[in-house]
Amino acid sequence: MLDQIFDYLNFHVSLEAPIVLLILIFLEAVLSADNAIALAAIAQGLEDKELERKALNFGLVVAYVLRITLILTATWVQQYWQFELLGAAYLLWLVFQHFTSQESEDDGHHEPRFSSLLQAIPVIAFTDLAFSLDSVTTAIAVSQEKWLVLTGATVGIITLRFMAGLFIRWLDEFENLEDAGYVTVALVGLRLLLKVVNDDLVPPEWIMIPAIFLILGWGFSKRISTELPQVEPEKSESLSEK
């Protein structure tokens, strides 16, 4: 029984395995930057900070299950371009919803807001799944051994949770960061769409990664100005000598 499971996962430890694993972890960390900011912006749709934390935790647990399922069925999923089309349409819909919604007068973030935790969790999970359609393909191209890809995905989801937590804090500090995050989401959505239309038109990772970091650099370029309440100086009455 165990032999069959190991054969299905291609569990064959070799001298190259640690190096390949490090490469997969590095790719997961680099490719998670745009995913993390998107999930952080989605979680910020909840008013309460405690709910934001719970939405990320529960959402990423569901996302992890979906990501593992995607890896185990990747060979089958890659045969159907409809999955990539659905992922592209979903991500581009999120971008459209973001840029066409009104901004809240209180914090400047875009509407709509979630009214409950249960509304945010599936959005977080399916957003990560749409991103994974692209990243899993890259991971499988690096290694055909499923246990290595699964290990990289496990480390990646933990890294994603840590990075999303940081971005939630930074979204309150930098004015353009939320918009920059959704621009990177648009890039990933368009990349998936190009894979459906013509795989030769898809920009390589060495172009995508610098482009994403340039956009995030713009997102961190301007801090939100916090106006301090103006306190009128006390006027001291001076007696003038006559």
Side-chain angles (χ1 to χ4, degrees), residues 43-49 51-52 104 106-107 111 113-114:
Q44 243 195 2
L46 292 160
E47 296 290 345
D48 185 73
K49 291 296 180 185
L51 287 178
E52 291 177 8
S104 170
D106 296 332
D107 53 13
E111 302 288 357
R113 294 272 183 188
F114 298 111

Side-chain angles (χ1 to χ4, degrees), residues 40-41 43-44 49 52 56 163-172:
Q44 243 195 2
K49 291 296 180 185
E52 291 177 8
L56 280 177
M163 292 176 66
L166 287 177
F167 275 116
I168 276 189
R169 206 168 60 206
W170 290 333
L171 282 168
D172 292 327

Side-chain angles (χ1 to χ4, degrees), residues 174-210:
F174 296 94
E175 186 173 327
N176 300 323
L177 189 55
E178 187 177 18
D179 287 342
Y182 277 96
V183 172
T184 64
V185 174
L187 283 182
V188 176
L190 290 172
R191 190 171 191 269
L192 283 173
L193 191 59
L194 286 175
K195 289 180 73 174
V196 174
V197 176
N198 187 344
D199 200 50
D200 294 333
L201 298 175
V202 178
E205 296 294 345
W206 63 269
I207 291 179
M208 287 291 294
I209 292 175

Side-chain angles (χ1 to χ4, degrees), residues 1 17 28-29 60 64 74 87 139-140 212-213 222 239 241:
M1 181 67 179
E28 285 284 351
L60 286 177
Y64 179 67
I140 292 176
I212 288 172
F213 278 97
K222 186 178 181 182
L239 297 176
E241 297 180 359

Side-chain angles (χ1 to χ4, degrees), residues 12-171:
H12 305 292
V13 180
S14 61
L15 293 176
E16 296 84 3
I19 298 174
V20 174
L21 183 58
L22 287 175
I23 294 173
L24 289 172
I25 291 173
F26 173 76
L27 285 174
E28 285 284 351
V30 172
L31 297 175
S32 290
D34 51 351
N35 193 356
I37 189 173
L39 299 187
I42 290 170
Q44 243 195 2
L46 292 160
E47 296 290 345
D48 185 73
K49 291 296 180 185
E50 181 65 20
L51 287 178
E52 291 177 8
R53 185 184 64 81
K54 289 182 178 179
L56 280 177
N57 289 340
F58 292 127
L60 286 177
V61 168
V62 178
Y64 179 67
V65 175
L66 294 176
R67 191 184 289 199
I68 296 302
T69 304
L70 177 62
I71 292 171
L72 295 177
T73 60
T75 305
W76 175 75
V77 169
Q78 288 177 342
Q79 296 176 3
Y80 298 94
W81 56 266
Q82 289 89 346
F83 287 106
E84 291 175 339
L85 181 61
L86 285 173
Y90 177 75
L91 291 178
L92 293 175
W93 174 78
L94 284 180
V95 175
F96 174 79
Q97 187 186 49
H98 170 74
F99 284 108
T100 58
S101 62
Q102 295 180 349
E103 291 187 353
S104 170
E105 294 180 358
D106 296 332
D107 53 13
H109 292 296
H110 286 264
E111 302 288 357
R113 294 272 183 188
F114 298 111
S115 58
S116 70
L117 183 66
L118 292 178
Q119 288 181 344
I121 290 174
V123 177
I124 289 173
F126 283 110
T127 301
D128 179 76
L129 180 63
F131 272 89
S132 297
L133 287 170
D134 193 36
S135 61
V136 166
T137 303
T138 304
I140 292 176
V142 174
S143 174
Q144 294 295 321
E145 297 190 19
K146 286 189 175 69
W147 75 270
L148 280 176
V149 180
L150 290 172
T151 305
T154 302
V155 175
I157 210 80
I158 296 171
T159 305
L160 183 61
R161 174 61 184 89
F162 174 73
M163 292 176 66
L166 287 177
F167 275 116
I168 276 189
R169 206 168 60 206
W170 290 333
L171 282 168

